[in-house]
Amino acid sequence: MSNFVLVNSGHNRDDEASKFGMWLFLFTELLLFGGLFLVYTIYRYLNSETFLYSSYELNVLLGTVNTIVLLTSSLTVALSITALQKGNIRLSLWLITATILFALTFLVIKYFEWSAKFEHGLFPGMDHYIQMLPGEKMFFFLYFFMTGLHGLHVIIGGVLLGYIMWEIKKKKVTPDNNIFLENGGLYWHLVDIIWIFLFPLFYLIH
Amino acid sequence: MADKNKSRHLPGDPTEHLIVPYKFHIGIWVGLIVLTVMTVLVSVMGLSLIAFSVITALIIAVTKAVVVANYFMHLKYDNKLITILMGVTLLLFVVFIAFTAIDYLTR
């Protein structure tokens, strides 16, 4: 009676289930952006010429640089998971720091791109925008909405990775318990995948 | 490979998965950059066949997404159920596109 020990008391860990949960969330994210890509497809079909020449307003060079920045940040976060799993916590922290710096680089470039569009009055509701053809309006509306929603995901992903760094420093995420970093990485890769589609569809259609 | 001396996992625990080497990830990254440069060149070189460049851009984008999902997101090494669910999600998306297209193309 007295030496009864409850086996496996406390919180049970199930990394597999954690990962499944993350993926289920990512599927809803895919469908969220999928809906927007659906809107894009239909309006592009209805206004193919206006979409075509509107895309010339976008800066291909900045778009390409941002694509490379995001792909590289995907690499650093993937490497940080390998580093943590191998027990190299310092390297892992540095690689996550690099990822967050790439996220900031992406946002700074995006800021300059958006500023140029604001100066030309292309934001929905601005003087130039309201005089445009319906197809052009739709192009810039979707451009701002989709890159804006994507930018929001970049911010959330960066904050999430910062929090995971904090958890690694507090030894709550360790080489033996790294599912939080893996799931954070999954989110970051999803942000990258969405940009992989946004980039050609908005910048490269001419 | 995970340290066998640590009793983190029960024997045969499916969560015990391999660690993807650094070099492998860097190789994947090089491939992705090459694909990005390709897709930009196809567009900037100004191939006059618009439909061709759109299809090329989409094929390259899908290839990049598959590579990121398979290798960076470890889909290839994880439980196959995740891959199946991913397929279901994409099928759902194709149904959305198809039914909307049927509506718009037949007006």
Side-chain angles (χ1 to χ4, degrees), chain A residues 16-27:
Chain A
E16 193 87 349
S18 302
K19 195 172 257 186
F20 265 111
M22 191 64 199
W23 272 103
L24 285 178
F25 168 65
L26 295 189
F27 294 149

Side-chain angles (χ1 to χ4, degrees), chain A residues 15-16 19-20 23 27 34 38 44-45 64 71-72 75 79 82-83 85 91 176 182 186 189 196 204, chain B residues 6 8 15 17 19-20 22 25 29 36 40 43 54 61 72-73 75 78-79 82 85-86 89 93 105:
Chain A
D15 290 351
E16 193 87 349
K19 195 172 257 186
F20 265 111
W23 272 103
F27 294 149
L38 176 62
R44 180 162 167 197
Y45 166 73
T64 310
L71 284 176
T72 314
L75 170 70
L79 290 178
T82 303
Q85 285 172 338
L91 179 63
D176 284 336
E182 274 197 62
L186 282 180
H189 294 308
I196 283 173
L204 298 179
Chain B
K6 289 175 185 167
R8 172 191 164 197
T15 58
H17 51 269
I19 298 171
V20 184
Y22 296 117
H25 275 143
W29 173 78
T36 305
V40 172
S43 167
V54 168
F72 280 170
M73 296 172 98
L75 212 52
D78 276 335
N79 195 321
I82 301 177
L85 286 173
M86 174 66 110
T89 307
F93 181 57
L105 296 176

Side-chain angles (χ1 to χ4, degrees), chain B:
Chain B
M1 285 294 129
D3 194 346
K4 295 285 185 210
N5 298 325
K6 289 175 185 167
S7 57
R8 172 191 164 197
H9 298 293
L10 298 170
D13 187 333
T15 58
E16 177 138 29
H17 51 269
L18 84 163
I19 298 171
V20 184
Y22 296 117
K23 272 187 188 166
F24 186 74
H25 275 143
I26 293 169
I28 294 297
W29 173 78
V30 170
L32 288 168
I33 297 293
V34 168
L35 283 172
T36 305
V37 172
M38 264 171 63
T39 192
V40 172
L41 285 182
V42 167
S43 167
V44 175
M45 291 304 196
L47 292 174
S48 49
L49 299 162
I50 303 291
F52 175 72
S53 80
V54 168
I55 290 167
T56 321
L58 277 179
I59 289 173
I60 294 177
V62 169
T63 311
K64 282 165 75 181
V66 168
V67 169
V68 170
N70 263 340
Y71 299 104
F72 280 170
M73 296 172 98
H74 299 170
L75 212 52
K76 209 172 158 62
Y77 316 112
D78 276 335
N79 195 321
K80 285 289 164 279
L81 187 56
I82 301 177
T83 314
I84 294 167
L85 286 173
M86 174 66 110
V88 171
T89 307
L90 293 179
L91 188 70
L92 211 56
F93 181 57
V94 169
V95 169
F96 291 162
I97 295 249
F99 275 70
T100 316
I102 289 167
D103 178 15
Y104 270 88
L105 296 176
T106 54
R107 281 187 185 188

Side-chain angles (χ1 to χ4, degrees), chain A residues 140-179:
Chain A
F140 283 106
F141 179 82
L142 284 172
Y143 166 77
F144 279 111
F145 194 90
M146 291 175 82
T147 60
L149 189 62
H150 177 263
L152 187 65
H153 280 76
V154 172
I155 295 170
I156 294 169
V159 172
L160 181 66
L161 288 174
Y163 180 66
I164 293 171
M165 278 181 79
W166 174 253
E167 292 283 286
I168 293 174
K169 278 189 181 149
K170 286 203 313 185
K171 303 244 184 299
K172 286 198 174 165
V173 175
T174 59
D176 284 336
N177 183 9
N178 55 45
I179 190 66

